């Protein structure tokens, strides 16, 4: 498995995924949405598992990608 | 009946030193008769070094305070001759339960590894811990060992010199002066010794208060560690329930920052909190109540010339993970053999600088772990609480989230990776016994390995040849010859050889590995001995 974070398009049916992401938040309060997002981050992080990639993902999300 | 911690155990008695015309010089003075000071004094006295312990009071710990003692400190106490009464009296536990809001989210079993003489943990009130240590001091005295404890002897001034330290000591009958070749300061988190020497103690303050209540009750709660995040009876805060001997239960309730401590400590305010937690129908009696705040910090250096700081005086952590007293005992375990060699002229004074290197490494590890636990237990921002609660919610449903739950990473010994005393690892063996590690215990027939490794340098050979005794630069190293067949469970092989067919270990008096190789190589081991004693 590569130790490099993928930052090129990688999701089949990107529009469908995005709609699903919005749908799961539908009707939730801000607090409940924040909680869901936090759970989602943890679920996805566990799926990735690779510590080096997680570090790169944190930097990418902070818009501070490593040079 | 008086509580054990209300009765003087070493009451003040006038000593001839107080009437001496010039200050009497002692080899080592230990300041403070808590678990760490007593550990240091017993260690030195057992090895024939004259030691005087000065304590500002004359009793064991007031209240239970430290209650959770880990395997490594129990092994150290075995070396100090007082491990058995602790284990006999202590409560052993393996199961922990984690609650979030009004539900149990999961439970865990520590699943301690087989083939160790001592359990993973015992719970024991600090007053018993200190009582058994003081009893050990009395036992050593009866055997003629050069050790004494002077109660109500409070150090009030310190003067440092290149080759000794002078102190002024206040007693109920006035003050007197003493000198010491060396001083070990074990006078606790508020260390007056540290203040008198004007030394730094910087770190992070956690703005929180915790109520400790020890209650005596006949309850059928199991012998488990129960930890609550945000329980209904202490909304937005945490709680802990843990069993001690004699039907005493430790209850720990987070209270937050803006509280009136004196008010919260009053029984009329404590009892309703406990009833909300335990239920109205549980009968209990309060033994001890305290409110504490904590900081995670350490001194920049633990050695200041001839004054050596150990335990909470040198470093302070949050209580989560039981890393206070447990790490302090590892300080003096590390220090005493080095001090002995320096005092005997068998090692240069610079060997003591490795105490700084190794135990600062340990303190930093403990501070890191206990700070992380504290950040999880008491989230300080909205987003850290959101993430924390997400971990807890997920942990109820999915196993993957459970390792992220942090109610205290329980104390394990620090490995002195990168220590100047280590020789390069030359054995393709298990990582757990690499140079710098505390030796893992292993069964040997009816007994265990660790008791055979105490107090001296040992050359442990497993299916390898070596001389029975090796003398190098004033250090005598005796061989302990073993074979993998000495342990039918194969734990010895698994913990010390792995896939290697043989191994030779140089083991320090504190049971840490200094060097290891597949076979005995005289030049290499002579160099390793010099290195482990600061002579190279």
């Amino acid at each position: 498995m590569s130790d490099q974070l993928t930052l090129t398009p990688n999701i089949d049916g990107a529009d469908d995924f995005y709609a699903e992401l919005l749908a799961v938040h539908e009707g939730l309060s801000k607090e409940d949405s924040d909680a869901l997002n936090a759970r989602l981050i943890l679920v996805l992080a566990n799926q990735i598992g690779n510590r080096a990639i997680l570090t790169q993902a944190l930097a990418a999300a902070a818009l501070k990608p490593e040079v | 009946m008086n509580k054990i911690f209300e009765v003087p155990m070493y009451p003040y008695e006038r000593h001839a030193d107080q009437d001496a015309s010039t200050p009497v010089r002692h080899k080592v003075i230990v300041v403070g008769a808590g678990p760490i000071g007593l550990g240091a004094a017993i260690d030195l006295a057992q090895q024939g070094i004259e030691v005087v312990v000065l304590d500002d009071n004359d009793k064991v710990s007031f209240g239970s305070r430290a209650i959770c003692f880990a395997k490594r400190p129990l092994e150290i106490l075995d070396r100090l001759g007082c491990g058995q009464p602790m284990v006999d009296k202590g409560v052993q536990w393996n199961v922990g339960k984690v609650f979030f809001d009004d539900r149990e989210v999961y439970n865990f079993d520590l699943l301690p590894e087989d083939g160790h003489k001592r359990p993973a943990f015992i719970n024991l009130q600090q007053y018993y811990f200190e009582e058994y240590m003081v009893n050990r001091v009395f036992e050593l005295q009866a055997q003629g060992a050069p050790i004494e404890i002077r109660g109500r002897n409070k150090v009030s001034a310190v003067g440092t010199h290149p080759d000794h330290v002078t102190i002024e000591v206040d007693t109920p009958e006035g003050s007197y002066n003493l000198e010491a070749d060396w001083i070990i300061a074990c006078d606790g988190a508020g260390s007056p010794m540290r203040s008198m020497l004007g030394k730094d103690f910087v770190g992070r303050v956690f703005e929180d208060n915790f109520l400790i209540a020890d209650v005596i009750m006949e309850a059928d709660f199991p012998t488990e560690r129960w930890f609550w995040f945000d329980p209904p009876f202490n909304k937005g805060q945490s709680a802990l329930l843990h069993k001690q001997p004699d039907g005493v239960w430790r209850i720990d309730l987070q209270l937050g920052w803006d509280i009136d401590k004196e008010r919260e400590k009053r029984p009329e305010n404590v009892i309703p909190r406990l009833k909300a937690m335990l239920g109205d129908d549980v009968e209990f009696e309060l033994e001890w109540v305290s409110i504490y705040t904590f900081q995670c910090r350490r001194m920049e250096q633990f050695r200041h010339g001839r004054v050596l700081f150990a335990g909470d005086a040198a470093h302070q952590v949050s209580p989560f993970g039981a890393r206070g007293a447990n790490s302090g005992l590892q300080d003096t375990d590390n220090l005493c053999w080095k001090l002995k060699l320096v005092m005997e002229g068998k090692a240069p004074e610079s060997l003591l600088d490795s105490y700084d290197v190794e135990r600062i490494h340990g303190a930093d590890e403990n501070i890191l772990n206990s700070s992380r636990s504290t950040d999880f237990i008491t989230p300080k921002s909205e987003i850290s609480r959101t993430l924390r609660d997400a971990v807890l919610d997920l942990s109820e449903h999915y196993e993957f989230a459970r390792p992220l739950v942090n109610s205290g990473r329980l104390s394990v010994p620090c490995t002195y990776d990168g220590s100047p005393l280590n020789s390069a690892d030359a054995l393709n063996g298990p990582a757990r016994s690499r140079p710098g590690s505390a030796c893992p215990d292993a069964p040997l027939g009816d007994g265990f390995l660790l008791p055979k490794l105490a107090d001296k340098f040992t050359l442990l050979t497993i299916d390898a040849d070596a001389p029975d005794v090796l003398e190098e630069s004033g250090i005598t190293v005796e061989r302990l010859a073993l074979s993998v067949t000495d342990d039918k469970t194969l734990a010895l092989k698994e913990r010390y050889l792995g896939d290697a067919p043989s191994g030779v270990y140089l083991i320090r008096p504190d049971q840490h590995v200094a060097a290891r190789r597949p076979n005995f190589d005289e030049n290499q081991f002579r160099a390793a001995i010099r290195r482990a004693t600061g002579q190279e």
Side-chain angles (χ1 to χ4, degrees):
Chain A
M1 188 170 142
S2 164
D3 273 355
Q4 194 59 45
L5 178 70
T6 302
L7 288 169
T8 50
N10 194 39
I11 302 174
D12 289 339
D15 287 350
D16 288 344
F17 162 70
Y18 195 75
E20 209 177 328
L21 179 61
L22 291 184
V24 77
H25 283 282
E26 222 158 87
L28 296 186
S29 66
K30 169 86 170 85
E31 192 184 351
D32 289 345
S33 262
D34 286 347
L36 189 147
N37 278 338
R39 293 194 296 271
L40 181 62
I41 290 165
L42 294 164
V43 168
L44 296 177
N46 185 63
Q47 178 64 32
I48 292 166
N50 182 311
R51 278 290 287 110
I53 292 181
L54 289 171
T55 299
Q56 293 166 50
L58 291 170
L63 301 180
K64 288 177 193 161
E66 291 168 60
V67 274
Chain B
M1 195 182 84
N2 285 325
K3 299 286 183 195
I4 168 183
F5 51 85
E6 290 167 345
V7 182
M9 228 187 142
Y10 38 93
Y12 170 77
E13 285 174 32
R14 191 171 185 86
H15 191 279
D17 284 2
Q18 291 167 254
D19 302 312
S21 52
T22 55
V24 175
R25 172 82 67 98
H26 292 279
K27 292 285 182 196
V28 179
I29 290 178
V30 172
V31 182
I36 316 308
L38 291 168
I42 292 168
D43 207 344
L44 293 169
Q46 277 192 164
Q47 305 191 57
I49 293 174
E50 191 249 293
V51 57
V52 177
V53 183
L54 304 178
D55 195 34
D56 63 357
N57 69 45
D58 54 8
K59 302 177 191 72
V60 294
S61 162
F62 187 80
S64 65
R65 297 169 71 193
I67 61 158
C68 202
F69 295 93
K71 181 157 70 71
R72 181 61 198 151
L74 295 175
E75 292 166 353
I76 293 169
L77 291 165
D78 278 340
R79 195 171 63 69
L80 300 181
C82 49
Q84 197 57 46
M86 312 273 185
V87 176
D88 288 344
K89 180 79 182 178
V91 170
Q92 292 183 29
W93 60 277
N94 289 314
V95 172
K97 283 187 178 157
V98 176
F99 300 85
F100 179 38
D101 198 353
D102 58 354
R103 60 204 197 273
E104 179 184 335
V105 286
Y106 74 100
N107 58 67
F108 59 88
D109 190 326
L110 293 175
L111 285 176
E113 190 181 56
D114 284 339
H116 293 258
K117 183 174 180 195
R118 292 311 180 196
F121 278 95
I122 61 164
N123 285 0
L124 182 70
Q125 295 91 325
Q126 186 174 333
Y127 48 77
Y128 282 129
F129 196 87
E130 292 184 14
E131 182 194 13
Y132 301 154
M133 289 185 104
V134 173
N135 286 341
R136 175 64 180 150
V137 170
F138 294 158
E139 185 179 86
L140 285 166
Q141 283 173 337
Q143 293 163 7
I147 183 171
E148 55 172 300
I149 309 183
R150 297 184 191 172
R152 298 180 73 191
N153 272 239
K154 182 180 167 57
V155 179
S156 56
V158 186
T160 54
H161 305 272
D163 64 343
H164 72 285
V165 187
T166 55
I167 54 173
E168 185 181 85
V169 183
D170 289 345
T171 75
E173 296 181 300
S175 64
Y176 69 110
N177 294 306
L178 284 176
E179 295 182 356
D181 289 349
W182 298 93
I183 286 195
I184 306 179
C186 309
D187 50 347
S191 177
M193 287 292 290
R194 196 181 58 228
S195 309
M196 286 186 281
L197 289 175
K199 299 302 175 191
D200 57 85
F201 201 39
V202 293
R204 186 169 161 206
V205 182
F206 288 85
E207 296 195 340
D208 226 316
N209 291 284
F210 287 79
L211 173 81
I212 296 183
D214 275 350
V215 304
I216 303 167
M217 60 178 172
E218 291 301 324
D220 43 12
F221 299 114
T223 305
E224 298 172 346
R225 178 186 195 263
W226 288 10
F227 198 97
W228 286 264
F229 293 96
D230 199 7
F233 56 83
N234 198 26
K235 241 5 230 172
Q237 314 281 7
S238 68
L240 172 75
L241 177 71
H242 220 173
K243 191 179 187 181
Q244 305 170 50
D246 303 341
V248 177
W249 297 77
R250 161 66 62 84
I251 291 167
D252 207 326
L253 295 168
Q254 184 191 358
L255 297 182
W257 186 235
D258 284 319
I259 59 154
D260 178 342
K261 287 191 195 185
E262 286 315 308
R263 193 178 162 277
E264 292 294 346
K265 264 200 288 199
R266 284 182 215 136
E268 67 262 33
N269 293 312
V270 173
I271 287 167
R273 284 184 179 280
L274 298 179
K275 280 192 178 295
M277 175 174 178
L278 301 169
D280 269 337
D281 47 345
V282 175
E283 298 273 327
F284 61 86
E285 179 193 331
L286 276 178
E287 173 171 270
W288 176 66
V289 175
S290 176
I291 288 183
Y292 65 91
T293 57
F294 51 80
Q295 307 198 4
C296 287
R297 56 184 177 172
R298 68 163 167 85
M299 297 177 78
E300 199 175 333
Q301 291 177 297
F302 297 170
R303 180 187 174 205
H304 292 275
R306 290 188 165 239
V307 182
L308 300 141
F309 287 84
D312 282 357
H315 46 76
Q316 211 188 336
V317 293
S318 82
F320 307 114
R323 289 166 182 269
N326 282 315
S327 72
L329 283 163
Q330 291 168 70
D331 289 344
T332 55
D333 187 48
N334 185 288
L335 174 61
C336 288
W337 68 270
K338 295 174 181 175
L339 186 57
K340 176 173 186 272
L341 290 181
V342 169
M343 292 175 75
E344 290 172 342
K346 290 180 177 172
E349 215 175 289
S350 60
L351 177 61
L352 295 173
D353 293 330
S354 73
Y355 167 65
D356 251 358
V357 172
E358 294 183 335
R359 291 314 301 165
I360 282 175
H361 182 69
D364 285 347
E365 193 173 287
N366 287 320
I367 287 171
L368 179 73
N369 277 294
S370 89
S371 297
R372 286 175 171 176
S373 301
T374 309
D375 285 335
F376 192 88
I377 292 165
T378 65
K380 293 298 186 285
S381 69
E382 200 180 323
I383 187 63
S384 64
R385 181 173 291 272
T386 300
L387 285 165
R388 195 281 305 268
D389 289 353
V391 167
L392 290 168
D393 278 328
L394 289 167
S395 74
E396 184 178 4
H397 302 279
Y398 310 116
E399 199 182 328
F400 89 84
R402 293 173 193 166
L404 297 171
V405 175
N406 191 344
S407 69
R409 296 282 178 243
L410 298 171
S411 176
V412 290
C414 163
T415 297
Y416 304 134
D417 284 321
S419 165
L421 306 189
N422 294 350
S423 295
D425 189 1
L427 180 75
N428 181 27
R432 66 189 292 179
S433 49
R434 66 188 183 275
S437 315
C439 284
D441 204 357
L444 291 177
D446 294 337
F448 286 90
L449 173 63
L450 286 186
K452 297 180 186 294
L453 299 175
D455 293 334
K456 57 191 189 306
F457 274 94
T458 304
L459 196 67
L460 168 66
T461 62
I462 304 175
D463 294 323
D465 283 331
D468 287 337
V469 180
L470 192 60
E471 302 260 4
E472 172 61 32
S473 305
I475 309 294
T476 303
V477 180
E478 287 180 42
R479 177 188 179 198
L480 174 64
L482 297 178
S483 164
V484 291
T485 58
D486 290 332
D487 169 26
K488 302 283 182 276
T489 72
L490 294 183
L492 182 69
K493 175 176 162 36
E494 181 201 307
R495 291 167 199 175
Y496 286 87
L497 294 184
D499 295 330
S502 66
V504 180
Y505 281 74
L506 177 66
I507 294 165
R508 311 184 335 185
D510 59 2
Q511 301 172 331
H512 278 254
V513 175
R516 64 176 185 178
R517 309 186 65 81
N519 296 105
F520 179 71
D521 175 320
E522 181 164 343
N523 287 335
Q524 292 285 355
F525 276 100
R526 286 190 181 280
I529 295 165
R530 291 195 301 274
R531 194 171 169 81
T533 51
Q535 303 183 73
E536 182 150 294

